[in-house]
Amino acid sequence: MSRTDLSEWQALEALAATDGARHLRDLFAEDEGRFERFSAEAAGLFVDYSKTRITSDVLDGLLDLARATRLEDRRTDMFRGEKINATEGRAVLHVALRDTAKGKYFVDGADVMDDIQSVLSQMEAYCDSVHSGARMGHTGKPLDTVVNIGIGGSDLGPVMVTEALKPYALEGRATHFVSNVDGTHLAEVLKRIDPERTLFVIASKTFTTQETMTNAASAREWFLASGAPESAVADHFIALSTNEAAVTEFGINAENMFPFWEWVGGRYSLWSAIGLPIALSVGWKNYRALLDGAAAMDRHFETAPMKENLPVLLALIGVWHRSFLGMQANAVLPYDQYLHRLPAYLQQADMESNGKSVTMAGAHVTYGTGPVLFGEAGTNGQHAFYQLIHQGTDIIPCDFIAAAESHNPLGDHHEKLLANFLAQPEALAMGKTPDEVREDLKGSGMADAEIEALVPHKVFTGNRPTVSILMERLEPRTLGSLIALYEHRIFCQSVIWDINAFDQWGVELGKVLAKAILPELKGWADVKHDSSTSGLIARINRLRRS
Ligand code: F6P
């Protein structure tokens, strides 16, 4: 049975034409309690969703849909370690990585907590040894520089968190991230580091990813070319992976490998050994606080009734905007410079998870699923793409994120930042009517005809939905909660859409074709493609050889 056959789905379709068309201006005008009614708080995060396009009837309808799609059962399945990633036959247990409860998380009947604790202890001991100087480079210099080599989930989470927690970074330490196979990425980092002080962290779940293996091999070559003996590789290269055989084959000793497990999805892996560069940057206590913050959101998600459950509520609103009101994108706009990589991180988390168009049973969906996610730190985005969000033909729901307290209370910068954080959602919701525009222009002494010509350009239709997420301060704990909030929102949406959020077959075809094209670029194989691809290969080969 398709989701669209559910009476709950059809009831919402009917509501889309009535309640879904109501203007936020009117909804606020007729209900003084709208903010209280449509806001909630958990795990250090306050979420105002009153400026989204919902009414009480819509929310009730969405909660009915959640029940009809057995969202609570699916949540239980995830926490129980059921193989909810059906196409890969895997459990999805990143929640276990940040919990401390024994006897709660099982995969194939085995409690995973001892394994988790043992890797956490290995990571903690390693961090301590690097930070204390007990572990040094091969010439006796401190290992104060980390270069993480990884891509996708083995890069985006660690980069985003390391940037976000910069105020907690241990003094005198530098962390670099190299992901792109474009040699420029690695080369620019290598220019700035001292091989004798550098620890290369090769992060790859599979340890087969072309970009990461290529960068790792080049980093190793550069390290040896600096005069380091082969035996020094053990002091300067470690691996974070699930694939011990490939790690050993690369030349990294198993004792320098920090393992994790197939039930940790790449884009959910910053809570596993993949988080080591974060811990090396901010220290173990802060990394643990990050995990604790995520665990606090997990408890909320696991136990709060659906109508007070933040990830559930945000998921339902997302489904409403996407599948019933036809909004195709979602902007994530952190009003916090430290969160400048959050949109990039969430692009993978959301789009690799819910960019799917077949149901769990393999049927084509007939409704919109994962939105196009993009964003930028406020206020930079305001001077770039907000024009389209305010007056473009598409309606783009936005998430505004801010902390009440700044780590850098410089003059009145933070008040100005917060004023913008508040003003944008207000403008998007309320807009500016033609009469208001006329009123404004009249004061300028402009002629009536001129005013009328300008009015349509200066009108803001408003009724553009936003969610505002507010925290006291961006700290390891609140950051952990924020990431977990999004993770669970994405999962809940996948349940309602009846898609698998945990596989990513869509990334495969391009990888396979790139492997076939590589020998053709090297001139080792004949070129056999469509005329466009073949033509481009021929042109590149001519340009490179001329
Ligand atoms: O982009 C596809 C993907 O498989 C992601 O899901 C993953 O995070 C990334 O590649 C990196 O994979 P690995 O950690 O195995 O190198």
Side-chain angles (χ1 to χ4, degrees):
M1 184 174 177
S2 162
R3 291 299 193 235
T4 54
D5 294 329
L6 292 170
S7 58
E8 292 81 0
W9 187 283
Q10 290 161 5
L12 284 163
E13 279 177 331
L15 275 176
T18 54
D19 292 34
R22 305 222 39 215
H23 200 292
L24 282 165
R25 232 176 222 253
D26 301 328
L27 294 173
F28 273 96
E30 70 196 32
D31 178 7
E32 284 200 349
R34 186 170 170 86
F35 171 66
E36 280 74 25
R37 195 181 321 288
F38 296 129
S39 56
E41 190 167 13
L45 301 178
F46 178 82
V47 178
D48 170 21
Y49 54 97
S50 62
K51 293 196 191 83
T52 64
R53 295 265 287 268
I54 57 162
T55 61
S56 295
D57 286 348
V58 168
L59 188 55
D60 288 346
L62 287 165
L63 288 163
D64 288 344
L65 179 64
R67 277 183 281 272
T69 56
R70 303 187 49 213
L71 177 59
E72 285 168 301
D73 294 344
R74 297 288 84 80
R75 177 183 62 185
T76 306
D77 290 346
M78 179 173 79
F79 279 93
R80 272 205 197 134
E82 303 286 336
K83 301 206 165 150
I84 60 171
N85 176 0
T87 60
E88 295 183 308
R90 291 179 183 167
V92 177
L93 264 187
H94 46 276
V95 288
L97 298 167
R98 46 229 193 182
D99 204 348
T100 47
K102 269 193 121 182
K104 179 170 177 190
Y105 302 99
F106 294 85
V107 174
D108 291 327
D111 189 337
V112 294
M113 205 41 82
D114 285 345
D115 284 348
I116 293 173
Q117 283 309 329
S118 130
V119 177
L120 286 173
S121 305
Q122 185 194 359
M123 290 166 71
E124 183 176 5
Y126 190 83
C127 286
D128 285 350
S129 69
V130 170
H131 293 151
S132 68
R135 184 182 295 274
M136 304 256 206
H138 72 107
T139 56
K141 291 190 180 165
L143 290 166
D144 55 14
T145 306
V146 167
V147 177
N148 188 83
I149 296 182
I151 197 164
S154 301
D155 169 73
L156 289 162
V159 184
M160 182 273 282
V161 173
T162 303
E163 285 294 302
L165 297 185
K166 259 193 180 150
Y168 299 86
L170 300 175
E171 241 187 84
R173 300 201 57 79
T175 312
H176 304 273
F177 291 87
V178 174
S179 52
N180 199 334
V181 77
D182 183 341
T184 299
H185 204 177
L186 179 63
E188 283 299 331
V189 169
L190 296 181
K191 278 181 200 165
R192 285 182 278 140
I193 61 171
D194 174 354
E196 294 174 41
R197 313 174 79 96
T198 299
L199 179 67
F200 288 97
V201 178
I202 316 302
S204 175
K205 182 176 173 184
T206 54
F207 230 71
T208 57
T209 304
Q210 186 195 52
E211 293 89 335
T212 301
M213 291 304 102
T214 307
N215 280 321
S218 298
R220 194 172 183 278
E221 235 171 76
W222 172 85
F223 177 70
L224 293 174
S226 75
E230 187 79 37
S231 58
V233 169
D235 300 321
H236 289 262
F237 283 75
I238 61 171
L240 320 175
S241 186
T242 58
N243 186 349
E244 188 176 330
V247 168
T248 323
E249 200 186 307
F250 179 82
I252 294 177
N253 299 335
E255 76 247 24
N256 288 333
M257 167 176 165
F258 296 78
F260 59 109
W261 309 275
E262 67 163 31
W263 44 264
V264 181
R267 50 193 175 274
Y268 302 90
S269 62
L270 72 91
W271 321 100
S272 71
I274 292 292
L276 188 64
I278 303 171
L280 283 166
S281 168
V282 299
W284 190 255
K285 258 190 15 221
N286 286 319
Y287 182 64
R288 184 63 246 183
L290 177 84
L291 301 189
D292 292 343
M297 183 54 75
D298 294 342
R299 294 294 76 71
H300 167 76
F301 175 53
E302 195 180 13
T303 57
M306 284 205 295
K307 61 173 193 290
E308 293 157 25
N309 195 308
L310 289 186
V312 172
L313 288 166
L314 290 186
L316 293 176
I317 291 163
V319 168
W320 174 243
H321 288 151
R322 178 72 191 96
S323 306
F324 294 95
L325 301 186
M327 301 172 190
Q328 298 181 5
N330 181 194
V332 175
L333 308 165
Y335 277 63
D336 193 313
Q337 190 59 29
Y338 285 127
L339 288 175
H340 71 113
R341 292 294 286 163
L342 183 69
Y345 166 77
L346 288 176
Q347 270 176 340
Q348 188 201 19
D350 201 327
M351 294 165 83
E352 197 165 85
S353 297
N354 285 342
K356 313 284 165 64
S357 52
V358 292
T359 65
M360 295 295 282
H364 277 276
V365 299
T366 52
Y367 39 86
T369 60
V372 174
L373 192 148
F374 69 101
E376 176 65 65
T379 57
N380 294 1
Q382 289 175 204
H383 295 270
F385 52 78
Y386 279 34
Q387 164 64 40
L388 184 147
I389 296 180
H390 281 285
Q391 287 189 316
T393 48
D394 287 297
I395 296 194
I396 300 178
C398 303
D399 300 351
F400 285 79
I401 304 167
E405 291 282 348
S406 170
H407 283 285
N408 300 296
L410 260 186
D412 66 352
H413 285 239
H414 201 58
E415 284 90 344
K416 285 177 177 155
L417 180 73
L418 290 176
N420 281 283
F421 161 77
L422 295 165
Q424 292 294 332
E426 185 179 15
L428 286 163
M430 303 305 160
K432 192 166 183 180
T433 64
D435 282 345
E436 286 167 344
V437 174
R438 272 184 204 105
E439 204 51 44
D440 268 4
L441 291 176
K442 265 186 195 143
S444 70
M446 216 179 252
D448 283 356
E450 260 182 289
I451 289 177
E452 284 314 308
L454 260 185
V455 166
H457 299 278
K458 294 186 94 126
V459 163
F460 289 72
T461 53
N463 210 18
R464 294 176 185 243
T466 62
V467 164
S468 298
I469 302 177
L470 188 63
M471 63 193 97
E472 190 181 329
R473 218 171 139 88
L474 181 62
E475 292 173 347
R477 264 190 92 88
T478 39
L479 179 64
S481 303
L482 181 69
I483 303 168
L485 169 67
Y486 274 96
E487 285 178 347
H488 295 318
R489 176 177 104 161
I490 291 163
F491 168 59
C492 292
Q493 292 187 329
S494 75
V495 172
I496 294 171
W497 285 324
D498 192 22
I499 57 178
N500 183 358
F502 302 110
D503 61 11
Q504 56 283 318
W505 301 106
V507 303
E508 293 303 323
L509 183 56
K511 286 187 196 173
V512 172
L513 292 177
K515 276 207 180 110
I517 290 173
L518 186 58
E520 296 165 1
L521 282 175
K522 292 186 185 216
W524 298 343
D526 289 344
V527 173
K528 282 194 218 99
H529 298 276
D530 59 88
S531 64
S532 161
T533 311
S534 298
L536 287 166
I537 293 172
R539 183 160 285 260
I540 288 173
N541 282 342
R542 272 205 306 279
L543 288 169
R544 294 183 72 210
R545 275 157 213 164
S546 58

